[in-house]
Amino acid sequence: MSQQVEKFFNGVRDIPLEDYFTPGHRLCAGCGPAIAMKLIMKAIKMPTIVVNATGCVEVSTSMFPYVSWRVPWVHVAFENAAAVASGIVEALKILNRKRGKQMHDVIAIAGDGGTFDIGLQALSGALERNHKMLFICYDNEAYMNTGVQRSGATPTGAATTTSPAGKIIPGKQERKKDLIGIVVAHKIPYAATASISHPIDLMNKVRKALNIDGATLIHVLTPCTLGWRYPPSQTVKIARLAVETGYFPIYEVEDGRVKINIRLSKFKPIEEFIKIQGRFKHLLQPENERILDYLKKQIEENWSRLLKLEETGIRI
Amino acid sequence: MSEKLIVEKIVKGEFTWRSLPPAAMISVPTSMMYKTGSWRISKPVIDRDKCTKCLLCWVFCPDMSIKRLPDNSVEVDYEYCKGCGICAEECPVKAITIVEE
């Protein structure tokens, strides 16, 4: 395997001026997914077709008659973004054969509900068939659009309206699903995680994935000011803390081999990340130490697994 | 339907789902018509003397309301700015301040 990582964008000044995601959308002030969409749409090679599953981004960017996309964009139901995208890829294959050249890229965008829970079976099918498409999961760790219900992506200890922190339970009791683990088990050529706090890394990954002939997936962490309960100005800071505390490792899996993109020599304490968020506030109380320790153990386990996988170069 | 015609019809309030082609297609990014600046309660102000042209505010703005000029300096588009304050938070030299509207 070549260790050379192709760089499409070297710095902030290489980011193109054009926006294919236009202002006037009705996402919240300080919305994390809005930053992710903007950066993803800046990294595309035109022309591109976007398939958007129901979620925050879909409802706020397509409120009749206002549309915020400069690219062909399809709204589909919660569960079938990957299925519709595969249909479009197959239709384009015939068109491309007639025209004699590759015309369009297909990007499917879904939230964590549309990827981890409701859209998982359509996604699994599309990955197994290995269509040439990029699936982007913007993960705000709960069903934010419908009023902050817990999802498969909600981390241990987070308070949501269906897992409220109180006398009986201290937030969600279960673990967060390992999405990259699930998709890599389909033996797809490329899967990666990214964070909006590292825009060049995110954009390089999008461009790299679009250049690969096969199904690819990028899992982007996008903090949500409403559901995570913090002031809107802290969005990027929280995303950065999530990376620096080791809560959200940034890595890519190419042909089954793990490569950690953002290596941490020293982890910041996880308390720094949780103390500014209302959904985790109860974890700092002494009686909830057990659940905080469980969260810390998960982070440690995940990192030692990733480091071991990278070191040994085993194909997963 | 041409871009200009759609925009005109939206302004007049004549634009309904009946005027759309099949499959509810809208051919232009019409959300530019909706000025989200009216949501704002405080606004960012850029101090040009302190600005080092690092462009981080332009990268992180969720509403595309920081404009990058040809000389890499920036200015705020108050028509769409929702006043979230990410630009002021991320500015490494604190050249952006949030002031009450």
Side-chain angles (χ1 to χ4, degrees):
Chain A
M1 185 188 72
S2 112
Q3 281 292 325
Q4 283 281 321
V5 181
E6 207 177 339
K7 281 272 161 75
F8 303 97
F9 306 96
N10 286 312
V12 171
R13 272 153 216 263
D14 290 351
I15 299 178
L17 273 168
E18 299 86 40
D19 277 311
Y20 296 107
F21 182 62
T22 66
H25 61 73
R26 301 188 200 189
L27 289 156
C28 306
C31 178
I35 303 177
M37 291 309 123
K38 166 191 168 173
L39 294 171
I40 290 160
M41 295 321 286
K42 274 180 186 292
I44 60 170
K45 317 172 285 175
M46 283 293 273
T48 299
I49 295 174
V50 174
V51 181
N52 204 168
T54 306
C56 279
V57 168
E58 182 275 316
V59 298
S60 329
T61 57
S62 63
M63 219 173 259
F64 182 81
Y66 302 106
V67 180
S68 307
W69 301 82
R70 271 191 214 283
V71 293
W73 178 91
V74 195
H75 163 224
V76 295
F78 234 132
E79 63 279 10
N80 59 356
V84 172
S86 356
I88 293 173
V89 172
E90 288 309 301
L92 283 173
K93 219 183 243 177
I94 312 264
L95 275 179
N96 290 340
R97 201 182 299 148
K98 285 182 183 164
R99 290 166 178 159
K101 57 179 178 180
Q102 174 73 32
M103 290 295 286
H104 290 75
D105 290 323
V106 179
I107 300 182
I109 296 173
D112 56 303
T115 311
F116 282 72
D117 302 340
I118 311 168
L120 190 60
Q121 62 91 11
L123 173 63
S124 178
L127 296 181
E128 184 265 324
R129 294 187 299 268
N130 206 14
H131 296 287
K132 188 193 177 316
M133 60 178 244
L134 166 61
F135 194 98
I136 286 168
C137 167
Y138 66 94
D139 179 9
N140 47 23
E141 303 197 321
Y143 291 88
M144 300 308 182
N145 175 39
T146 49
V148 201
Q149 288 86 14
R150 89 190 259 295
S151 77
T154 308
T156 311
T160 63
T161 50
T162 44
S163 64
K167 280 181 193 147
I168 299 165
I169 52 159
K172 184 183 164 179
Q173 300 289 290
E174 298 81 14
R175 297 184 67 135
K176 178 175 177 154
K177 276 188 202 175
D178 177 11
L179 180 68
I180 298 292
I182 295 170
V183 300
V184 166
H186 292 79
K187 311 293 173 199
I188 58 169
Y190 186 74
T193 64
S195 165
I196 54 163
S197 57
H198 297 74
I200 303 296
D201 175 72
L202 166 60
M203 291 178 67
N204 277 327
K205 280 174 177 166
V206 171
R207 183 62 73 84
K208 186 174 177 179
L210 286 174
N211 283 342
I212 288 172
D213 190 17
T216 51
L217 183 137
I218 297 179
H219 176 194
V220 190
L221 184 74
T222 54
C224 169
T225 166
L226 176 83
W228 295 20
R229 292 189 251 143
Y230 61 83
S233 61
Q234 307 294 306
T235 303
V236 178
K237 187 182 163 192
I238 289 186
R240 190 173 296 121
L241 277 173
V243 176
E244 286 172 352
T245 56
Y247 171 80
F248 193 79
I250 305 288
Y251 62 100
E252 57 188 0
V253 186
E254 209 176 346
D255 292 326
R257 286 194 181 85
V258 174
K259 183 173 183 300
I260 297 172
N261 302 109
I262 295 175
R263 206 170 286 279
L264 299 165
S265 53
K266 195 166 168 283
F267 291 82
K268 283 189 177 171
I270 186 75
E271 284 81 359
E272 272 187 46
F273 173 65
I274 64 185
K275 76 181 174 199
I276 39 177
Q277 296 175 48
R279 61 168 182 164
F280 280 134
K281 209 167 59 186
H282 56 281
L283 291 189
L284 296 173
Q285 288 161 1
E287 66 267 27
N288 293 330
E289 213 183 329
R290 180 186 56 85
I291 202 109
L292 182 60
D293 286 342
Y294 184 39
L295 190 64
K296 282 182 187 167
K297 205 182 108 209
Q298 288 175 23
I299 294 170
E300 265 167 42
E301 271 177 14
N302 198 14
W303 267 96
S304 62
R305 184 180 66 94
L306 286 176
L307 286 169
K308 210 167 277 174
L309 281 173
E310 192 193 29
E311 199 184 318
T312 52
I314 297 170
R315 290 183 67 171
I316 51 173
Chain B
M1 203 184 293
S2 78
E3 185 168 330
K4 205 179 161 194
L5 204 67
I6 290 181
V7 173
E8 269 175 20
K9 284 200 164 194
I10 290 172
V11 174
K12 287 183 192 158
E14 286 172 1
F15 196 70
T16 65
W17 62 271
R18 279 174 219 271
S19 36
L20 290 172
M25 286 196 288
I26 295 180
S27 53
V28 286
T30 43
S31 83
M32 303 280 279
M33 304 277 304
Y34 185 80
K35 312 283 189 216
T36 48
S38 60
W39 295 15
R40 191 172 63 231
I41 51 166
S42 54
K43 64 173 182 181
V45 176
I46 301 174
D47 181 347
R48 295 204 176 279
D49 298 333
K50 279 192 195 168
C51 178
T52 55
K53 300 182 182 179
C54 70
L55 296 174
L56 283 180
C57 49
W58 171 71
V59 172
F60 287 125
C61 178
D63 295 296
M64 286 66 77
S65 41
I66 305 250
K67 279 189 193 153
R68 175 179 171 181
L69 303 176
D71 68 336
N72 282 337
S73 64
V74 287
E75 70 177 23
V76 184
D77 181 354
Y78 292 110
E79 283 197 329
Y80 301 107
C81 172
K82 292 173 187 161
C84 63
I86 290 180
C87 47
E89 181 71 31
E90 291 306 312
C91 182
V93 291
K94 302 284 164 225
I96 303 177
T97 41
I98 299 290
V99 295
E100 289 287 308
E101 192 72 40

